[in-house]
């Protein structure tokens, strides 16, 4: 079992924390305000969950999930994340979350922004393609015909293997798309992004399972 730190404990962080606790992992949650403000969430998650500051969550997590609005990326602590595996869930949506000048200037692609901020961490892009409501419900046991597959990407193979094992424990297969730069193939605007979305009901409808074969077809469209 793994201790997972969370920088950001909202829709995606909170959903992942619940899946992790249900799978038997320990979670350390943080947000932009205070550990006290996470009291209700942590109480609801039970004894495997505790609240902390972002620095403490980064220090205590064996794997650390970053799930904040991307515009706040500079506030992610660097020192406690040195040499650690960091899961990057971030998508760039300037209209809803605010713009990031260095992305707008073309200095860095959005999917590589967190790794540039954390050059000594092993960043693995994951969970950025699935709406939190669907993430909460689409997990299945190993071998289930309707088990979904999530894309991951990163520059460190060992980190990706560790993240794949964690995601497996949460009820999902993974497909390794390659280096972090290749995560452009499942970035916003691609078919692989929000692949679970039913075009009729969209965010109000149940998520659709996406198998590895489905996912590879969608990723190939963004070659
Ligand atoms: N929602 C989805 O379905 C979904 C799916 C895939 C990827 N994503 C990506 O995941 C990220 C988070 O989205 P979300 O929907 O979960 O957002 P959200 O519900 O608004 O939650 C954001 C969380 O980040 C915290 N936060 C903000 N600034 C912070 C900082 N400087 N330090 C520590 N914590 C901070 C917030 O804490 P406070 O409440 O205290 O401010 C809150 O806990 C975004 O980049 C989004 O693109 C979202």
């Amino acid at each position: 079992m793994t201790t997972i730190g969370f920088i950001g404990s909202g829709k995606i962080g909170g959903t992942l924390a619940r899946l992790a606790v249900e799978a038997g992992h320990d979670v350390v949650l943080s947000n932009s305000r205070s550990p006290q403000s996470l009291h209700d969430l942590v109480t609801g998650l039970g004894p495997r969950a505790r609240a902390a500051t972002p620095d403490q969550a980064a220090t205590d997590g064996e794997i650390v999930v970053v799930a904040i609005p991307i515009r706040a990326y500079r506030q992610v602590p660097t020192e406690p994340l040195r040499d650690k595996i960091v899961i990057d869930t971030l998508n760039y949506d300037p209209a809803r979350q605010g713009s990031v000048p260095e992305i707008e200037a073309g200095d860095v692609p959005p999917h590589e922004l967190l790794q540039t901020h954390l050059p000594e961490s092993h960043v693995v892009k994951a969970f950025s393609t699935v709406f939190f409501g669907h993430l909460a419900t689409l997990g299945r046991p190993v071998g289930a015909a309707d088990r979904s597959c999530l894309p991951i990407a990163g520059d460190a193979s060992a980190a990706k293997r560790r993240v794949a094992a964690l995601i497996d424990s949460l009820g999902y297969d993974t497909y390794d798309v390659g280096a972090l730069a290749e995560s452009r193939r499942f970035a916003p605007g691609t078919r692989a992004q929000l692949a679970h979305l039913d075009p009729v009901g969209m965010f109000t409808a149940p998520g659709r399972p996406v198998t590895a074969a489905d996912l590879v077809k969608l990723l190939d469209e963004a070659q």
Side-chain angles (χ1 to χ4, degrees):
M1 290 301 135
T2 303
T3 298
I4 308 167
F6 286 84
I7 315 277
S9 305
K11 292 187 277 297
I12 202 80
T15 301
L16 279 171
R18 180 165 300 284
L19 293 178
V21 162
E22 286 170 0
H25 302 291
D26 293 324
V27 299
V28 186
L29 301 174
S30 73
N31 64 9
S32 74
R33 286 166 288 160
S34 64
Q36 290 72 23
S37 66
L38 290 163
H39 176 267
D40 289 354
L41 178 60
V42 163
T43 304
L45 289 172
R48 290 196 180 280
R50 63 190 159 90
T53 62
D55 250 52
Q56 199 62 50
T59 300
D60 292 355
E62 297 167 69
I63 295 178
V64 177
V65 175
V66 176
I68 62 177
I70 195 169
R71 66 171 186 280
Y73 82 95
R74 284 186 189 278
Q75 289 158 32
V76 175
T78 52
E79 193 51 39
L81 293 175
R82 184 190 293 263
D83 286 330
K84 282 205 182 175
I85 299 172
V86 174
I87 297 181
D88 172 356
T89 70
L90 311 181
N91 284 320
Y92 188 48
D93 180 358
R96 288 164 63 194
Q97 293 186 18
S99 63
V100 175
E102 45 279 51
I103 294 177
E104 294 298 326
D107 295 343
V108 56
H111 49 276
E112 295 183 41
L113 187 69
L114 189 65
Q115 179 73 83
T116 61
H117 176 65
L118 301 172
E120 294 180 67
S121 306
H122 310 297
V123 171
V124 179
K125 193 90 185 165
F127 301 113
S128 57
T129 58
V130 56
F131 173 58
F132 76 100
H134 298 158
L135 180 65
T137 56
L138 284 172
R140 299 288 185 274
V142 176
D146 61 347
R147 197 179 212 232
S148 283
C149 182
L150 301 177
I152 61 171
D155 295 338
S157 297
K160 284 191 286 192
R161 283 195 295 277
R162 184 98 195 265
V163 169
L166 174 66
I167 295 175
D168 180 54
S169 76
L170 305 185
Y172 292 87
D173 293 332
T174 49
Y175 180 80
D176 181 358
V177 180
L180 190 63
E182 290 301 300
S183 65
R184 64 173 178 78
R185 291 169 59 201
F186 57 88
T190 64
R191 294 273 320 277
Q193 163 76 0
L194 296 179
H196 307 270
L197 212 57
D198 182 333
V200 179
M202 301 289 282
F203 296 101
T204 58
R208 300 186 304 182
V210 175
T211 65
D214 299 331
L215 178 63
V216 168
K217 272 191 219 144
L218 296 172
L219 289 165
D220 283 350
E221 290 180 22
Q223 278 291 1

